[in-house]
Amino acid sequence: EPEVTQTPSHQVTQMGQEVILRCVPISNHLYFYWYRQILGQKVEFLVSFYNNEISEKSEIFDDQFSVERPDGSNFTLKIRSTKLEDSAMYFCASSVGAMGNEQFFGPGTRLTVL
Amino acid sequence: DAKTTQPNSMESNEEEPVHLPCNHSTISGTDYIHWYRQLPSQGPEYVIHGLTSNVNNRMASLAIAEDRKSSTLILHRATLRDAAVYYCILRWAYNTDKLIFGTGTRLQVFP
């Protein structure tokens, strides 16, 4: 069964450093998402991406964040200058269509900012 | 965004049916009712969704009240693997496709 994969599973970084979280969505999916979950808290939407552009973003997704689909398979989330409060699980998701279609989530990347 | 209310936690014994309730009294006519779950240390996983009629799939059943102000996710025979946090989410059919997660219901399943 096809699945969303994410690398790395755990990333440790120093405050102020740039990190890139990588995701490989399911191959025939067209809509891509990033969510995050701070330990013990809700899953929060960050951004949705379709047709090589951002379709929606949350207030959390400020200028420090960017997304890219550099080739036909990868979908990346970059945090330019990490803060302590960026420590969280980051989940990538994809769906074949928008709106009512189910979103398939990856296993997540745990980001720890020291 | 329309709000949902779920109990914080529920318990079940293995192989018994589980009924997970969700109240959504401010639901609009175009809101779909989606259920996702999150197993420990994993990403969320789609379970089922519906609009007005009851729905069944291989994982669960979704019973939607006639006035659509509440719904119930039914696991017909709980297994230990069903222990997870279950989220009831309303998605506006013609607007955003983001998922807005609440705190969900933590289901414990005992052998």
Side-chain angles (χ1 to χ4, degrees):
Chain A
E1 188 172 321
E3 58 183 19
V4 176
T5 59
Q6 291 185 242
T7 53
S9 57
H10 190 189
Q11 173 93 47
V12 180
T13 190
Q14 296 290 327
M15 191 169 55
Q17 295 297 303
E18 174 184 288
V19 294
I20 298 175
L21 309 183
R22 292 184 166 79
C23 168
V24 179
I26 294 173
S27 63
N28 65 331
H29 285 188
L30 301 176
Y31 295 79
F32 313 109
Y33 312 84
W34 284 100
Y35 293 81
R36 80 172 187 189
Q37 186 174 31
I38 295 171
L39 187 63
Q41 297 188 24
K42 301 178 191 178
V43 177
E44 301 173 288
F45 167 79
L46 292 178
V47 66
S48 58
F49 191 85
Y50 168 70
N51 200 26
N52 276 321
E53 59 182 33
I54 290 173
S55 47
E56 187 175 1
K57 60 183 180 179
S58 72
E59 289 178 356
I60 302 167
F61 195 88
D62 61 22
D63 292 344
Q64 292 300 310
F65 291 86
S66 62
V67 289
E68 192 178 30
R69 189 154 160 81
D71 52 42
S73 59
N74 290 284
F75 180 51
T76 62
L77 174 70
K78 182 194 289 186
I79 309 175
R80 287 191 185 81
S81 178
T82 49
K83 307 185 190 71
L84 295 176
E85 53 264 37
D86 293 327
S87 295
M89 280 292 286
Y90 287 81
F91 295 107
C92 172
S94 68
S95 66
V96 65
M99 304 311 172
N101 286 271
E102 65 181 282
Q103 294 182 14
F104 292 79
F105 284 76
T109 292
R110 177 169 300 284
L111 176 65
T112 302
V113 182
L114 302 176
Chain B
D1 299 312
K3 185 175 167 55
T4 63
T5 305
Q6 300 178 252
N8 288 332
S9 63
M10 291 187 66
E11 296 176 354
S12 174
N13 293 317
E14 208 174 3
E15 298 190 6
E16 288 184 355
V18 181
H19 290 232
L20 297 164
C22 180
N23 287 316
H24 28 78
S25 58
T26 58
I27 192 170
S28 73
T30 54
D31 282 333
Y32 282 78
I33 302 159
H34 284 245
W35 284 81
Y36 281 73
R37 71 180 185 180
Q38 188 173 19
L39 302 173
S41 302
Q42 295 191 28
E45 175 187 32
Y46 168 81
V47 178
I48 201 166
H49 78 279
L51 183 62
T52 55
S53 305
N54 295 343
V55 185
N56 300 297
N57 67 19
R58 62 176 178 82
M59 288 181 71
S61 296
L62 176 59
I64 301 172
E66 200 170 325
D67 63 5
R68 300 206 332 122
K69 293 184 186 300
S70 65
S71 61
T72 303
L73 179 71
I74 302 166
L75 307 179
H76 295 285
R77 288 182 68 204
T79 68
L80 296 178
R81 196 193 172 273
D82 291 321
V85 179
Y86 287 78
Y87 301 99
C88 170
I89 299 170
L90 300 184
R91 295 182 76 187
W92 186 9
Y94 303 109
N95 193 10
T96 177
D97 58 352
K98 68 187 177 193
L99 293 170
I100 301 173
F101 290 83
T103 52
T105 296
R106 181 173 300 277
L107 175 66
Q108 288 184 281
V109 181
F110 298 105

